[in-house]
Amino acid sequence: MIRNTKKQRIVIKIGSSSLTSRHGEISRKKLEKLADEVVYLKDIGHEVVLVSSGAVAAGYRKLGCLERPHTLPEKQAAASIGQGLLMESYSELFLSHGYIAAQILITRSDFSDEVRYTNVRNTLNVLLERGMIPIVNENDTVTIDRLKFGDNDTLSAKVAGLVDANHLVILSDIDGMYNANPTSNANATLLELVEEITPELEAAAGGSGSYVGTGGMKSKIEAVKIAMASGIPTFIGKASRKNIVIDAVSGMAKGTYFKRKSTSNKLNQKKKWIAFHSGPEGDIVINQPAKEIMIKNRQSLTVSGIHQVMGKFEKGSVIRVNDCQGTEIGLGIVNYSSAELKKLLEQKVISAITPEFAIKKEDFVCHSEAQITV
């Protein structure tokens, strides 16, 4: 086992099936294994954020359900019970080794609002710098539209980008990414290194893999795409393997490593927020010369490059930028409201009285830059 003592910031995501027994209750043995590996990383100087699933799975039997609930109120009620049980166990285990666990419950709106996004980032940075172990989860008790397939896989990638992590480790009940579905294809081969997410790889990703979990390989690939766009190496492997987290960080684990060939054009924090966390509020259509200027030349968009304005939005909103063929090419923060832009287009008023760019180059992320599949 290679011990890399250079300080690293590591985000670990663990799925429900990797934390619970076959009856759906918290497995103390599984929790202890994970805690021991996190403690080892902490002891040699690394910073660790844990994105933990398992709240619904841990709580539904305490709620009186014989099987995992299907209705939203029951899921939320189970999560309210299970989240407390998880944190109690994590706190006890980490405190026995001298480390303090801190609970962070996040909703999608915490990411879509730039001020709240920054606040979450600042909170996590303070906790990490002071030696705590943040334990992050989707706030399932109050969230309406995110208790669904793969939410915590994506959340872990967003958290990794948020804290500028050096590694993202996604643990599940599978060994990694295969070139075909291993449950139905005996000739499927485990991919040890992936440098690009191709359509063929996405097609090989199947559905939800386990009874107690909500995520499958498809959601993990979506998470990997977000992490790779942020320049964060990612590993997917089987949680039950001995020293899986330690070996994953050391580059020695059995599983799949995802790493871009070049990270020279990775997104900064602002562009990460625009690309992956903001909620676009409208659309504009730009002409072909403007498209070339924005994508090939990486220059700002002038009002004269806008062909059409769709929807209603205010100045400072994030909007979708489309070409004349209807293809979405990127997202950007607009310097005019939709009403102002429509008025300018109707009057055919160009830059003489509109000194600001419609979208500045530093406020625009094209999908090819972020490796987003629309």
Side-chain angles (χ1 to χ4, degrees), residues 283-330:
D283 295 74
I284 61 171
V285 177
I286 61 174
N287 57 37
Q288 186 62 29
K291 178 180 177 180
E292 293 180 1
I293 288 172
M294 295 185 77
I295 294 181
K296 292 183 179 180
N297 301 331
R298 296 288 196 267
Q299 295 300 309
S300 300
L301 174 68
T302 62
V303 175
S304 61
I306 298 175
H307 175 70
Q308 185 181 2
V309 178
M310 298 179 289
K312 184 177 181 180
F313 50 84
E314 300 299 324
K315 177 181 178 180
S317 300
V318 174
I319 61 172
R320 289 173 286 265
V321 180
N322 308 280
D323 62 19
C324 288
Q325 285 71 48
T327 301
E328 184 180 322
I329 63 171

Side-chain angles (χ1 to χ4, degrees), residues 169-199:
V169 178
I170 298 178
L171 302 178
S172 186
D173 52 4
I174 51 179
D175 270 322
M177 179 70 195
Y178 287 77
N179 62 354
N181 189 338
T183 61
S184 58
N185 188 339
N187 297 319
T189 302
L190 179 67
L191 304 175
E192 296 182 355
L193 175 64
V194 174
E195 295 179 319
E196 180 183 6
I197 305 298
T198 63

Side-chain angles (χ1 to χ4, degrees), residues 126-315:
V126 169
L127 291 171
L128 290 169
E129 290 163 3
R130 299 196 179 186
M132 315 299 178
I133 302 174
I135 299 175
V136 181
N137 195 7
E138 182 85 11
N139 194 355
D140 292 340
T141 302
V142 299
T143 302
I144 294 175
D145 60 351
R146 289 297 296 240
L147 268 176
K148 61 179 186 179
F149 176 82
D151 52 333
N152 269 3
D153 292 319
T154 301
L155 176 60
S156 69
K158 292 186 174 186
V159 169
L162 183 69
V163 300
D164 294 317
N166 301 104
H167 299 277
L168 171 60
V169 178
I170 298 178
L171 302 178
S172 186
D173 52 4
I174 51 179
D175 270 322
M177 179 70 195
Y178 287 77
N179 62 354
N181 189 338
T183 61
S184 58
N185 188 339
N187 297 319
T189 302
L190 179 67
L191 304 175
E192 296 182 355
L193 175 64
V194 174
E195 295 179 319
E196 180 183 6
I197 305 298
T198 63
E200 290 76 16
L201 283 180
E202 291 193 77
S208 181
S210 64
Y211 171 69
V212 296
T214 56
M217 184 53 66
K218 183 177 180 180
S219 71
K220 290 171 178 55
I221 292 302
E222 291 301 316
V224 167
K225 287 160 63 178
I226 294 173
M228 291 178 75
S230 300
I232 300 171
T234 302
F235 172 83
I236 297 177
K238 198 169 188 176
S240 60
R241 290 193 175 276
K242 184 179 180 180
N243 296 325
I244 184 67
V245 175
I246 300 167
D247 291 344
V249 174
S250 303
M252 303 294 291
K254 179 178 180 178
T256 304
Y257 288 88
F258 298 83
K259 186 176 181 180
R260 287 173 62 176
K261 293 180 181 179
S262 173
T263 59
S264 59
N265 62 337
K266 68 179 183 179
L267 304 180
N268 59 32
Q269 276 296 334
K270 186 170 190 179
K271 289 198 172 188
K272 287 177 192 175
W273 177 76
I274 294 171
F276 303 118
H277 312 307
S278 64
E281 298 181 25
D283 295 74
I284 61 171
V285 177
I286 61 174
N287 57 37
Q288 186 62 29
K291 178 180 177 180
E292 293 180 1
I293 288 172
M294 295 185 77
I295 294 181
K296 292 183 179 180
N297 301 331
R298 296 288 196 267
Q299 295 300 309
S300 300
L301 174 68
T302 62
V303 175
S304 61
I306 298 175
H307 175 70
Q308 185 181 2
V309 178
M310 298 179 289
K312 184 177 181 180
F313 50 84
E314 300 299 324
K315 177 181 178 180

